[in-house]
Every structure is written in structure tokens, then in C-alpha cells.
Amino acid sequence: MSIKRVIILMVILALFAPTLVGCNKKDGIMKDGYFTAEMSDYSHGWKEFVTIYIKDQQIISVEYNAMNSSGFIKSWDMAYMRTMNAVKHTYPNFYTREYAKQVIEKQSAEEIDAVSGASTSVVSFQQLVQAAIDMSKSGKTEVAVVQSSKE
């Protein structure tokens, strides 16, 4: 191969190498913005959802809640809160904030400690947060739908 062809090939590789390396590197980086994930179905009359806010590759805020078919937010339901608190000694405003705090501290959906009385919620919470993180990494802004497990 002539020196001229080798030089041309090296120039072409030098121009395209950063884009090839960047493709693999960008896949793991969370993009800035709001990313939401919701369960595919209602469970006990509520559909859970999570919205995370990413800034500078950090999870800054996490909103975890659920809504009923008319759009009413679970943590606003005072009667539900009183009933759940009396039976399970916790309620949505408490455990949703606790789970969100742990994600912000750990910057991950993994290893979230379950709140006593809300241990079934931690599984769907982790799935929702991971789906939102995955959306951030892909840069997609549509709502991710997480398949609900059958009860």
C-alpha cells in the first residue's frame, strides 16, 4: 500500500474514531431532563408512576406516586392514608418520600430498603425508577410503560 493511501486512511480513521468511541460511552450517560415511567395496569385501583429529574448526570429529584382512574393522586387521599396508617403503620406520603430519598442518595434503583408496611411497593418502585433511568440514558422523553405483574 502506498504512503499516500496509508495517510488518507489514517486521516479518515482520525476523523471517525471519536464518534465510534463516543457511541459506546454515551449509552451509559444519563441525559438532563424529566423522565417518567408508569405501570401498565392498575393495582388495587391505583396506577403507580415515577418521574425523575436528571441534571449533570445526577438524579436530583424523584416523584413516586399513584393515581386512580379518575386521575386522583393516592398521596392526597386522606381516608386512604388514615386507613393504611392504622393497619400498616405507614402511608403513601411517608414511604414514597423515603424511597425517593434513597434513590437520590444511592443514585440507583438498586438496594432500596423496603419500608415496613409498604414492602410490595418497593418492587414496582425499583422497576419504575430503572425504566426512567433507562429512558434518560436513551434520551427518549416519552413515558416508559413497565409491565405490571399479575396478582
Side-chain angles (χ1 to χ4, degrees):
M1 195 185 282
S2 73
I3 294 255
K4 187 176 180 181
R5 286 186 182 180
V6 170
I7 292 173
I8 290 172
L9 185 59
M10 289 176 63
V11 168
I12 290 172
L13 286 174
L15 291 173
F16 288 104
T19 59
L20 295 174
V21 172
C23 288
N24 290 334
K25 199 173 181 183
K26 283 186 172 184
D27 289 342
I29 295 176
M30 295 187 295
K31 278 77 170 177
D32 289 355
Y34 290 92
F35 301 91
T36 300
E38 68 179 22
M39 297 308 285
S40 61
D41 298 305
Y42 290 87
S43 174
H44 304 288
W46 300 100
K47 183 185 277 195
E48 294 174 300
F49 64 91
V50 163
T51 298
I52 63 173
Y53 175 61
I54 307 290
K55 182 171 171 125
D56 299 328
Q57 300 176 42
Q58 295 287 312
I59 300 171
I60 303 299
S61 70
V62 178
E63 174 65 30
Y64 172 44
N65 224 311
M67 68 179 128
N68 65 18
S69 59
S70 64
F72 190 71
I73 302 297
K74 187 177 192 177
S75 64
W76 299 347
D77 189 334
M78 294 302 289
Y80 184 88
M81 180 189 78
R82 286 185 195 104
T83 302
M84 185 175 181
N85 195 32
V87 174
K88 299 201 176 204
H89 308 292
T90 192
Y91 52 93
N93 265 344
F94 176 76
Y95 71 79
T96 58
R97 290 178 189 175
E98 177 58 30
Y99 291 156
K101 180 180 102 177
Q102 290 185 52
V103 167
I104 293 168
E105 288 171 355
K106 298 175 183 187
Q107 292 293 300
S108 170
E110 298 175 14
E111 299 178 24
I112 302 298
D113 296 325
V115 171
S116 179
S119 56
T120 56
S121 296
V122 75
V123 175
S124 57
F125 173 72
Q126 288 174 300
Q127 293 172 332
L128 290 166
V129 170
Q130 189 58 56
I133 289 171
D134 292 345
M135 293 302 282
S136 169
K137 289 178 179 179
S138 73
K140 297 178 181 174
T141 57
E142 63 266 8
V143 175
V145 178
V146 174
Q147 186 62 42
S148 301
S149 62
K150 300 296 178 197
E151 297 173 6

